[in-house]
Amino acid sequence: MRKPLIAPSLLSADFANLERDIRMLNESNCDWYHLDVMDGVFVPNISFGFPVMQAMARVAEKPLDVHLMIVEPEKFVPQVKALGARVMNVHQEATIHLHRLLNQIRKEGMMSGVTLNPSTPVCMVEDVLQEADVVMLMSVNPGFAGQKFIDETVEKVKRLREMIDRRNLNTLIEIDGGVSRDNAQMLVEAGVDVLVAGSAVFKAADPKKEIDILKGDR
Ligand code: DX5
Ligand code: ZN
């Protein structure tokens, strides 16, 4: 079976031991580091911002996947680029001129990512699919790690897969929230390319082994 990319979410890392946790991921078979930025406005929580991510970037040896859960993400394209991020993921619900923003992100040499909340239908990105390198579906309401996977997301994955394949695009499908060894394989079969996992990785007895299990290597 096709192997997914694994993007552990640092939101579930031990913030008092970030360097240790990132070095552990450097040695693992994970693919991207998923960094969750929250502003307390778009989501009911605040996580970390650019100074902390700059420190993480100094230790990280793999690409950064920055998930901005903030209003007006278009203001921060230069800062995300300065981090050296591979992917800049913005919420469809948080920006008015999505088409322009996705193009700006690409122009800065990053992969353009658009994220949808559970209540936002996939048709909301239909007309920007060709500008998006990644479409990320939230399978929990954003703001917190450790929530239960919303089952309806699987149908959304299938619809999005169809939309992308019909148009012969290379857009990656990423999924974020409640991903674990119990649903990883089913999600890949439905068409997911990138699995984000916070608690599944960091609460595991052996996080590196858990990453292999999420990838399908048991
Ligand atoms: C939620 C964040 C997620 C979160 C995932 O708002 O966007 O990336 O860290 O955590 P788990 O995998 O524990 O649901
Ligand atoms: Zn996230």
Side-chain angles (χ1 to χ4, degrees), residues 9 11-12 34 36 38 67 69 138 140-147 176-179 196-200:
S9 164
L11 189 61
S12 294
H34 184 84
D36 289 301
M38 303 179 187
H67 176 196
M69 285 163 273
M138 290 307 304
V140 299
N141 284 295
F144 305 92
Q147 302 182 79
D176 185 8
V179 172
V196 176
S199 21

Side-chain angles (χ1 to χ4, degrees), residues 66-200:
V66 178
H67 176 196
L68 296 174
M69 285 163 273
I70 63 172
V71 297
E72 301 180 353
E74 60 276 1
K75 288 184 181 163
F76 296 96
V77 178
Q79 278 101 315
V80 178
K81 182 192 162 68
L83 278 177
R86 167 80 55 93
V87 188
M88 176 167 168
N89 249 312
V90 301
H91 270 259
Q92 183 273 338
E93 305 87 358
T95 188
I96 296 172
H97 300 289
L98 181 60
H99 183 280
R100 174 189 290 146
L101 177 53
L102 294 174
N103 278 304
Q104 277 169 349
I105 294 170
R106 275 189 175 169
K107 224 167 104 206
E108 294 299 342
M110 295 181 281
M111 288 171 76
S112 58
V114 53
T115 304
L116 298 178
N117 279 335
S119 61
T120 307
V122 289
C123 64
M124 294 306 282
V125 290
E126 192 158 9
D127 295 312
V128 288
L129 267 191
Q130 59 288 345
E131 339 290 334
D133 296 305
V134 179
V135 175
M136 185 161 84
L137 299 180
M138 290 307 304
S139 36
V140 299
N141 284 295
F144 305 92
Q147 302 182 79
K148 191 188 161 303
F149 184 87
I150 298 173
D151 291 324
E152 284 72 21
T153 320
V154 182
E155 282 309 311
K156 290 176 77 174
V157 170
K158 291 180 185 165
R159 261 180 280 144
L160 181 59
R161 180 82 270 159
E162 228 179 80
M163 248 156 76
I164 293 169
D165 290 352
R166 210 183 318 129
R167 287 160 62 176
N168 266 320
L169 294 168
N170 294 320
T171 311
L172 298 174
I173 301 181
E174 183 168 12
I175 195 155
D176 185 8
V179 172
S180 72
R181 58 162 83 191
D182 299 328
N183 56 19
Q185 192 182 334
M186 176 268 291
L187 290 169
V188 175
E189 280 164 12
V192 170
D193 302 292
V194 188
L195 298 168
V196 176
S199 21

